[in-house]
Amino acid sequence: MPLARSLSVTSLSGLEEWDEEFELEDAVLFEIAWEVANKVGGIYTVIQTKARLTAEEWGENYFLVGPYVESNVRTQVELIEPTNPVLKRTIDKMNSSGCKVYFGRWLIEGSPYVVLIDVGFTAWSLDRWKSELWELGAIGVPWFDREANDAVLFGFLTAWLLGEFAAQSEEPPHIVAHFHEWLAGLGLVLCRKRQLPVATIFTTHATLLGRYLCAGNVDFYNNLSKFNVDKEAGDRQIYHRYCLERAAAHCAHVFTTVSQITAIEAEHLLKRKPDIVTPNGLNVKKFSAMHEFQNLHAQSKSRIQEFVRGHFYGHLDFNLDKCLFLFIAGRYEFSNKGADIFLEALARLNYLLRVNHSDVTVIAFFIMPARTNNFNVETLKGQAVRKQLWDTAHTVKERFGKKLYDSLLVGQLPDVAKMLDKEDFTIMKRAIFATQRQSQPPVCTHNMLDDSSDPILNSVRRIGLFNSSADRVKIIFHPEFLSSTSPLLPMDYEEFVRGCHLGVFPSYYEPWGYTPAECTVMGIPSISTNLSGFGCFMEEHIADPTAYGIYILDRRYKGVDESCNQLTSFLFQFCKQSRRQRIIQRNRTERLSDLLDWRYLGRYYIAARHMALAKAFPDTFIYEPHEPSSTTGFRYPRPASVPPSPALSRHSSPHHSEAEDDEDERYDEDLEAEKDRVNIRQPYTVTKNKTSAIPGADENEDDASEKN
């Protein structure tokens, strides 16, 4: 049964019920972000994956607004004539006034409408708009900050678009404008200053100052209340950006952020407490492979093994069947993403595996793009040698098979001594000699431009993990995004993740964390932290995250050395699991994917929009907040096959046991899965142009129908 728990803004069942249904027939939603049809970072993933659900809710009245980037438009957008007559008049008026505004469909799931504004075409207005911004809020934008200049142009143009749309409407419209991040925030400020009939929402996915402070190796979370934010922003020459972000947060009718940990950060740095937390979801259908995800893991793992055979040629003195693949991926922020603590933990894990005479080998991949000039010659040679060996083996196999076939045709058993002649042995000896190698397998797959100052390579030199035969932990640094067209490791990111055993993301600054979320929906266990939005979310909604393959590292209340020891313990315990225990754990991890589906998490955005409508148009929409004392929990219990632990410090994942027959009796996959389904609600379904299924409403309707 679900566990009772106190109300939380991140509880899936913790949103208050609404007294009336919200009719959206005459409402229009504009969602504005710099990453609409323009991939820069994680916000692109948020908007792209959420678009289908939002389009189902708002129908023809949903428009995404972003910058016009020709290279992206050619491959992602189908340009068409505006279908909404008011919007058509708006775009025509703007184009006749010296702008370039395009309309089309974004070719992603849900096919939402997009309004794309050519920022560069109106650059002639930059100085005038900067002067207006200075008069409006005393915010001065330096000429050399191109990103901030783009933000000024984009902000004034989006405010122009919304204002013109309101002016062209025959009846007073109910417009909702949702702005993402500081790059779009100026448009919100201008909407409020000009008193446009627009309900505004501002979502910060990560505060500007927070990212800069964490990159500077400060004790961030323990000093949140002590920072002189104006001085810190000024010292880092981002004061104008910080002012734009803070102004948007304060001017918005509703202010949201993506996680509870970022909400605390925003309250101290932006000086406003978020009204609601809107966690990031995924379109789980895209990642789910039904019951085939274990087979997909095996297939992808075999492809990674092929790469490893080539990379470690001449030093392949370990058993690939007892080899575990770990990885960390993301932006190359050495400390923020936790690469520093991961490397230190790998050195300690290597020591533990060696002193315990373990036969397990760990290969840790670092997938972080950095400045390179080409592939490493030695790495390419390894794949060429592997392919040559494969061709040689096939040649000998074909010759052997022909002789065997001829012998069987005449009704004789083959003479094994004559099956391989001298030429065959010569071919095989030459192939063996070709695999001899004097140097160690390379750590980095590419030639780095800043090899001597690269933080990952310098840490590898410090801890001494050079892929030697004596080491049980090997490191491969791939400083480039994965691609299925790569001559080195021809796999896309999703396929690579499926083939790994564990994702390791010990981030110090991670407002949400899409990488561990993607691991979860693909059934791959992961390590996250209690300073990441994902880690906090899972810790709150799962009674025993470790049993489900979600390891939560404590980086908030422990020092670096203690956190490193805890990470080492997680890794060592994972290495001690048997193959069967890892399979059980992957099954459990994959079952958590429903928690991360937009069908569940999208209701937070729905609540934020309703809240904004009620604040901006109080005569039409009514919102009366209330705080219930408690609510039914949305929390996975400990799996039935994991016995309760008498000590909190005891590791709760499946332990290695010689008596696996006992485990067979205790573990029943179907029974466990059925019990887990009880603890999660049915996906939220949207009625087009109407939202009545506010969290809790579905259950009330079901109860009423049963009574009738």
Side-chain angles (χ1 to χ4, degrees), residues 366-563:
F366 288 74
I367 313 296
M368 291 180 158
R371 296 177 63 212
T372 65
N373 58 18
N374 215 327
F375 292 108
N376 188 309
V377 173
E378 189 64 25
T379 308
L380 286 172
K381 181 183 175 184
Q383 300 307 313
V385 168
R386 178 194 61 78
K387 188 176 185 306
Q388 183 185 17
L389 277 174
W390 179 259
D391 294 341
T392 300
H394 268 268
T395 301
V396 174
K397 183 179 76 171
E398 288 175 4
R399 292 162 64 99
F400 183 94
K402 189 174 185 308
K403 291 176 184 177
L404 176 63
Y405 175 67
D406 292 340
S407 176
L408 294 176
L409 272 179
V410 298
Q412 296 179 357
L413 288 174
D415 184 354
V416 179
K418 296 180 180 179
M419 295 300 289
L420 294 175
D421 55 27
K422 203 176 224 182
E423 185 179 353
D424 294 327
F425 280 104
T426 302
I427 292 173
M428 288 189 289
K429 285 179 181 178
R430 287 176 60 186
I432 291 172
F433 290 158
T435 63
Q436 293 180 354
R437 187 187 219 170
Q438 302 303 319
S439 61
Q440 301 281 11
V443 169
C444 187
T445 58
H446 292 60
N447 294 322
M448 301 289 291
L449 288 178
D450 301 315
D451 185 288
S452 61
S453 59
D454 183 79
I456 287 181
L457 295 181
N458 280 340
S459 291
V460 169
R461 295 178 186 115
R462 179 179 59 81
I463 61 181
L465 287 179
F466 298 117
N467 295 339
S468 67
S469 298
D471 291 327
R472 296 266 52 84
V473 174
K474 322 284 185 182
I475 293 176
I476 298 176
F477 179 25
H478 188 280
E480 195 177 68
F481 284 126
L482 295 171
S483 170
S484 57
T485 59
S486 169
L488 196 63
L489 183 56
M491 303 176 74
D492 59 30
Y493 179 72
E494 180 182 337
E495 189 180 7
F496 175 79
V497 171
R498 284 195 186 277
C500 289
H501 295 92
L502 181 70
V504 184
F505 313 104
S507 305
Y508 184 74
Y509 185 78
E510 191 72 77
W512 175 247
Y514 258 123
T515 40
E518 288 166 345
C519 286
T520 302
V521 300
M522 287 188 271
I524 303 301
S526 64
I527 296 176
S528 188
T529 74
N530 58 358
L531 290 180
S532 74
F534 172 84
C536 294
F537 180 84
M538 291 309 234
E539 200 169 35
E540 184 178 3
H541 293 97
I542 308 172
D544 186 5
T546 306
Y548 283 91
I550 308 294
Y551 299 84
I552 310 296
L553 183 67
D554 186 357
R555 294 205 65 182
R556 188 173 186 185
Y557 303 109
K558 290 184 176 180
V560 175
D561 190 61
E562 287 179 288
S563 297

Side-chain angles (χ1 to χ4, degrees), residues 206-220:
T207 67
L208 268 171
L209 191 53
R211 192 178 294 281
Y212 274 83
L213 286 169
C214 286
N217 293 321
V218 300
D219 188 3
F220 181 65

Side-chain angles (χ1 to χ4, degrees), residues 133-435:
L133 177 60
W134 176 257
E135 293 169 3
L136 172 69
I139 300 174
V141 178
W143 62 270
F144 55 81
D145 189 342
R146 182 172 179 178
E147 199 171 14
N149 289 334
D150 286 342
V152 171
L153 291 168
F154 189 57
F156 272 88
L157 287 166
T158 51
W160 186 353
L161 175 75
L162 294 171
E164 192 64 46
F165 184 88
Q168 294 289 342
S169 300
E170 295 173 358
E171 296 181 1
H174 295 129
I175 302 172
V176 182
H178 192 151
F179 297 82
H180 293 267
E181 282 296 290
W182 72 275
L183 279 162
L186 179 56
L188 186 154
V189 177
L190 293 170
C191 285
R192 296 305 304 278
K193 180 64 178 176
R194 295 171 182 176
Q195 298 181 346
L196 299 179
V198 178
T200 57
I201 306 169
F202 181 65
T203 297
T204 179
H205 296 258
T207 67
L208 268 171
L209 191 53
R211 192 178 294 281
Y212 274 83
L213 286 169
C214 286
N217 293 321
V218 300
D219 188 3
F220 181 65
Y221 291 98
N222 289 325
N223 293 289
L224 268 175
S225 60
K226 302 173 185 174
F227 288 118
N228 182 338
V229 290
D230 295 314
K231 179 181 182 302
E232 296 290 350
D235 289 347
R236 287 159 179 78
Q237 298 184 3
I238 58 165
Y239 187 67
H240 54 289
R241 297 185 180 195
Y242 169 74
C243 289
L244 290 173
E245 181 181 41
R246 184 167 167 176
H250 282 267
C251 289
H253 289 103
V254 174
F255 175 43
T256 82
T257 188
V258 296
S259 64
Q260 190 64 25
I261 194 74
T262 315
I264 298 169
E265 173 189 339
E267 186 176 359
H268 286 92
L269 300 186
L270 298 180
K271 307 303 181 184
R272 179 177 176 182
K273 184 178 181 180
D275 298 289
I276 188 170
V277 171
T278 51
N280 290 336
L282 283 164
N283 188 349
V284 172
K285 192 174 183 180
K286 178 188 176 217
F287 291 98
S288 64
M290 304 305 285
H291 299 293
E292 289 295 313
F293 81 97
Q294 293 282 12
N295 294 336
L296 291 175
H297 166 73
Q299 293 168 14
S300 298
K301 183 178 73 172
S302 67
R303 296 192 63 183
I304 297 175
Q305 286 176 335
E306 282 300 298
F307 167 78
V308 169
R309 288 187 178 99
H311 192 81
F312 289 92
Y313 84 92
H315 295 273
L316 203 64
D317 49 5
F318 50 88
N319 186 353
L320 276 174
D321 291 331
K322 293 189 176 181
C323 188
L324 299 179
F325 300 135
L326 279 54
F327 81 100
I328 182 173
R331 283 190 303 272
Y332 197 173
E333 296 177 7
F334 184 64
S335 298
N336 281 359
K337 295 299 182 185
D340 52 351
I341 194 174
F342 184 30
L343 281 163
E344 182 60 37
L346 287 174
R348 299 181 187 187
L349 175 65
N350 183 56
Y351 172 79
L352 289 175
L353 293 175
R354 289 177 64 176
V355 298
N356 286 279
H357 305 290
S358 174
D359 58 354
V360 172
T361 300
V362 172
I363 297 182
F365 290 87
F366 288 74
I367 313 296
M368 291 180 158
R371 296 177 63 212
T372 65
N373 58 18
N374 215 327
F375 292 108
N376 188 309
V377 173
E378 189 64 25
T379 308
L380 286 172
K381 181 183 175 184
Q383 300 307 313
V385 168
R386 178 194 61 78
K387 188 176 185 306
Q388 183 185 17
L389 277 174
W390 179 259
D391 294 341
T392 300
H394 268 268
T395 301
V396 174
K397 183 179 76 171
E398 288 175 4
R399 292 162 64 99
F400 183 94
K402 189 174 185 308
K403 291 176 184 177
L404 176 63
Y405 175 67
D406 292 340
S407 176
L408 294 176
L409 272 179
V410 298
Q412 296 179 357
L413 288 174
D415 184 354
V416 179
K418 296 180 180 179
M419 295 300 289
L420 294 175
D421 55 27
K422 203 176 224 182
E423 185 179 353
D424 294 327
F425 280 104
T426 302
I427 292 173
M428 288 189 289
K429 285 179 181 178
R430 287 176 60 186
I432 291 172
F433 290 158
T435 63

Side-chain angles (χ1 to χ4, degrees), residues 345 352 563-575 651:
L352 289 175
S563 297
C564 191
N565 284 334
Q566 186 185 18
L567 177 56
T568 306
S569 175
F570 284 159
L571 296 175
F572 187 55
Q573 292 293 336
F574 188 82
C575 291
H651 200 268

